[in-house]
Amino acid sequence: MLFIDGNIAFQDSWTGGGSVAESAKRTQFSAAESRFNMGIKHGDVTGFVEIDFAGSSQGNGVFSNSYSPRLRHAYIEYQGITAGQTWSTMVNSSAFAETADLGGPLVGQAMVRQALVKLTQGNWQLALENPYTYGTQPETTTKDKQWIDTNNDYVPDAIIRYNKHGDWGNVSLSSLFRYLDPANTAQFGAGVSLAANLNTFGRDDIKLQLHYGNLGRYVGTDAARDIINGELETTTAAMFAYRHFWTERTRSSLFYGRTKTDVEATDRSHIGLNVFTNLSPALVLGFEVGRYQINDANSSYHQTVPAQGASNYAQLSMQFHL
């Protein structure tokens, strides 16, 4: 159950996108975030597949609320090699906050799933991942966006990552290298990402992510583009969450995420506070309140001063894990 009150248009979950509209209130119940997965292991070979129903354009509230299945993961692992669709190597999923809202402060996170080939050797990971240039062409306008043609994306994105684990938690450092060549512009991009899940007192933990560079679609979940008006975009983003266990079964997380860009001058943030309790070992009840905000600034890309706004929300979820 999700209740939203504010002038940022309703979203099923708070991604880094969104638009400022007339102030409104809305309540929606949904089961579309339900997930089903299956893993199979045979000797040295592991296969995994997962689907959910979020983001489907099929469903409506008139009478059936039907939703189409959506592929999340489908990959094979063999002797340190991963091939298929799964989390980008930029993503440290242990650094995601526990939230009722799908994915939590997506606006400050690395949050990409795509096809890749990855080699893992000890603490090191090297990957080639699906190239895709997300952005607008030169001389485009905010009212009439001319999106980049991706027919010339032929060099895979390259990622190098180092992981360190211990009794204290884990930390990862990733570097992204990209060759973006829409309309033969030949632009090189690079960025760096730091993510960590750190144990503190008792069972408490801190989850954090820091990102900087030409990361584009890899960070912020639609808060940033790769290229804007033909110019390479630079993104600065961060996410922080502290989780405190009140009892063995009950805990709370306070989280904050934010992304800012240089060329488009976007500024998106998300803050929230929740409480989760296990009604049984497999059944979790959660309640969350939060605020999503758009504070985009004026830049040479905009013809008018961008609209600013915010929406507050309350969300209740029940999750059954097997």
Side-chain angles (χ1 to χ4, degrees):
M1 185 281 293
L2 176 61
F3 169 77
I4 292 177
D5 179 11
N7 63 346
I8 297 180
F10 178 90
Q11 300 182 44
D12 294 331
S13 60
W14 293 112
T15 67
S19 58
V20 178
E22 292 294 325
S23 184
K25 299 177 181 179
R26 182 176 176 182
T27 298
Q28 179 171 302
F29 291 76
S30 177
E33 293 179 10
S34 301
R35 301 175 187 173
F36 299 91
N37 61 50
M38 180 176 64
I40 299 175
K41 186 173 180 62
H42 188 273
D44 292 339
V45 184
T46 299
F48 183 82
V49 64
E50 181 176 77
I51 62 171
D52 72 359
F53 308 88
S56 170
S57 59
Q58 177 185 347
N60 64 72
V62 178
F63 56 87
S64 71
N65 290 279
S66 303
Y67 296 96
S68 302
R70 179 184 71 155
L71 183 68
R72 286 173 55 86
H73 300 273
Y75 63 86
I76 298 169
E77 290 183 337
Y78 176 70
Q79 295 187 354
I81 296 176
T82 302
Q85 175 169 307
T86 186
W87 291 117
S88 167
T89 312
M90 285 281 293
V91 176
N92 182 342
S93 58
S94 73
F96 289 172
E98 183 179 24
T99 59
D101 187 57
L102 178 64
L106 298 177
V107 68
Q109 296 180 173
M111 179 74 170
V112 172
R113 291 185 301 273
Q114 60 190 6
L116 55 80
V117 177
K118 177 172 62 179
L119 173 65
T120 300
Q121 291 290 326
N123 294 337
W124 291 92
Q125 293 179 317
L126 294 89
L128 296 178
E129 305 196 4
N130 191 59
Y132 190 92
T133 303
Y134 176 39
T136 56
Q137 301 175 14
E139 300 180 5
T140 191
T141 66
T142 52
K143 293 183 179 181
D144 182 25
K145 292 184 178 180
Q146 301 297 317
W147 296 103
I148 286 174
D149 186 347
T150 59
N151 286 332
N152 216 35
D153 287 333
Y154 62 93
V155 178
D157 293 352
I159 299 174
I160 301 173
R161 172 171 160 177
Y162 180 78
N163 303 301
K164 186 67 174 178
H165 300 265
D167 294 338
W168 44 269
N170 74 81
V171 63
S172 64
L173 181 64
S174 306
S175 295
L176 170 69
F177 303 94
R178 312 177 69 188
Y179 176 73
L180 307 173
D181 197 17
N184 297 312
T185 57
Q187 301 194 57
F188 293 87
V192 64
S193 172
L194 176 70
N197 180 11
L198 306 174
N199 302 323
T200 58
F201 307 101
R203 297 179 62 189
D204 292 10
D205 57 37
I206 292 174
K207 302 174 188 292
L208 61 89
Q209 298 185 33
L210 302 171
H211 313 282
Y212 179 78
N214 309 126
L215 299 169
R217 64 184 177 85
Y218 280 86
V219 172
T221 321
D222 203 29
R225 260 56 66 183
D226 299 318
I227 293 177
I228 285 293
N229 210 8
E231 185 175 350
L232 197 64
E233 182 65 278
T234 298
T235 300
T236 303
M239 187 281 288
F240 172 86
Y242 188 89
R243 181 170 61 171
H244 173 67
F245 279 79
W246 302 101
T247 68
E248 288 294 312
R249 297 189 307 165
T250 304
R251 63 271 183 198
S252 294
S253 289
L254 173 66
F255 62 84
Y256 177 76
R258 186 176 182 182
T259 287
K260 297 184 69 175
T261 61
D262 289 353
V263 181
E264 194 175 3
T266 56
D267 186 349
R268 313 288 171 88
S269 61
H270 181 184
I271 189 170
L273 175 66
N274 59 45
V275 58
F276 283 88
T277 189
N278 280 74
L279 303 179
S280 75
L283 184 61
V284 182
L285 182 68
F287 178 73
E288 181 172 299
V289 293
R291 179 180 178 88
Y292 178 68
Q293 198 155 332
I294 294 178
N295 286 323
D296 296 356
N298 198 13
S299 73
S300 58
Y301 172 71
H302 300 283
Q303 285 72 49
T304 59
V305 177
Q308 299 183 348
S311 282
N312 301 315
Y313 72 93
Q315 186 162 348
L316 182 69
S317 71
M318 183 172 283
Q319 304 168 14
F320 178 46
H321 302 271
L322 283 179

